[in-house]
Amino acid sequence: MRAVLFFILAMSAIGWSLAHADALDIKMLPFLSSLQRNLVAKDYEAAGVNKEKYTLAISPIGAWQSFFSDAIPAEERSTNVLERCEHITKTKCYLVYDNGKMTNERIPRPSLMRYPTEFDPAQVPFINNKLRQQINRAYSGLVPDKALSLNSIGGYGVSYGQDNTDIASKLSLENCEAKAGGHKCFLYSINEKVIFNKDTKIF
């Protein structure tokens, strides 16, 4: 009986160790100040039961971006945080925690951000593949004057058939922010011209 109990306790301890082996190790995160490490720790805890869905990108200048969501596949979460990190820091970023695991990457990811001047759905940043397909089917076929607005975590708003571009822009921003859950939206394109650029503030 004692042998069986010892075996059960030993296996439970091993199972606990394995379950927590890939928890985010704040001390191992590169480039960050003590303040930023504390902010990341709080952000990670805020993920709650979604910790295994937590994704974190860090730039060499000490900035970071994160995402946690059950609704978005791991590859799309990692793309989003890398795009955000790259845009706000204007440098390539490291994916340091992805799909519940420390990546131990030693080189930054290839650049993902593109800044076209003409609308191309394949180049629209921050959105997931499902929304990209929706925009691909819809936006190019909408009548002018039209505008597309985005937010940094993958939401968007559209307005079309307006009297002028100012009205289209204003309404697309309002449509985006109405369903953005408090996240700031920014103008991406007016008709077929892309307004979004390297200096666009996304927060």
Side-chain angles (χ1 to χ4, degrees):
M1 178 65 179
R2 289 181 178 176
V4 172
L5 180 59
F6 175 80
F7 178 78
I8 292 172
L9 290 173
M11 291 306 294
S12 296
I14 292 171
W16 186 92
S17 177
L18 290 175
H20 291 74
D22 289 320
L24 180 64
D25 189 342
I26 300 298
K27 298 188 297 297
M28 294 296 292
L29 300 179
F31 312 124
L32 299 182
S33 66
S34 296
L35 173 60
Q36 292 302 322
R37 289 177 192 277
N38 289 336
L39 292 174
V40 171
K42 291 178 181 179
D43 189 63
Y44 178 64
E45 288 305 312
V49 296
N50 287 320
K51 285 186 177 63
E52 66 178 21
K53 307 295 185 182
Y54 189 82
T55 305
L56 177 68
I58 295 176
S59 85
I61 67 170
W64 56 277
Q65 290 292 302
S66 70
F67 209 150
F68 52 91
S69 173
D70 278 329
I72 300 174
E75 182 179 353
E76 294 180 1
R77 289 197 306 271
S78 61
T79 297
N80 180 280
V81 295
L82 285 164
E83 286 178 336
R84 280 190 276 138
C85 182
E86 184 181 337
H87 179 75
I88 66 172
T89 64
K90 297 179 172 57
T91 186
K92 295 178 182 178
C93 294
Y94 294 75
L95 190 67
V96 295
Y97 192 78
D98 187 36
N99 204 26
K101 297 180 181 179
M102 297 291 291
T103 66
N104 299 314
E105 291 186 356
R106 295 293 181 265
I107 58 173
R109 289 295 181 101
S111 179
L112 294 176
M113 289 300 297
R114 301 290 182 267
Y115 300 94
T117 56
E118 297 296 320
F119 182 79
D120 176 1
Q123 305 295 325
V124 178
F126 311 129
I127 61 174
N128 63 39
N129 291 333
K130 182 178 180 180
L131 292 184
R132 189 180 307 283
Q133 292 171 4
Q134 291 179 11
I135 291 173
N136 186 29
R137 290 193 301 266
Y139 187 77
S140 296
L142 296 176
V143 296
D145 279 328
K146 61 184 179 180
L148 170 67
S149 293
L150 306 175
N151 65 48
S152 64
I153 62 167
Y156 77 98
V158 172
S159 179
Y160 62 96
Q162 304 302 328
D163 291 338
N164 56 60
T165 57
D166 288 342
I167 294 175
S169 300
K170 179 176 181 294
L171 292 178
S172 75
L173 283 167
E174 290 177 355
N175 290 339
C176 179
E177 292 184 346
K179 52 189 179 183
H183 292 278
K184 173 183 169 61
C185 291
F186 53 89
L187 193 62
Y188 181 78
S189 61
I190 298 175
N191 293 328
E192 303 305 322
K193 180 178 177 57
V194 174
I195 305 302
F196 177 79
N197 58 57
K198 291 182 179 181
D199 296 319
T200 300
K201 296 186 183 303
I202 63 175
F203 300 119

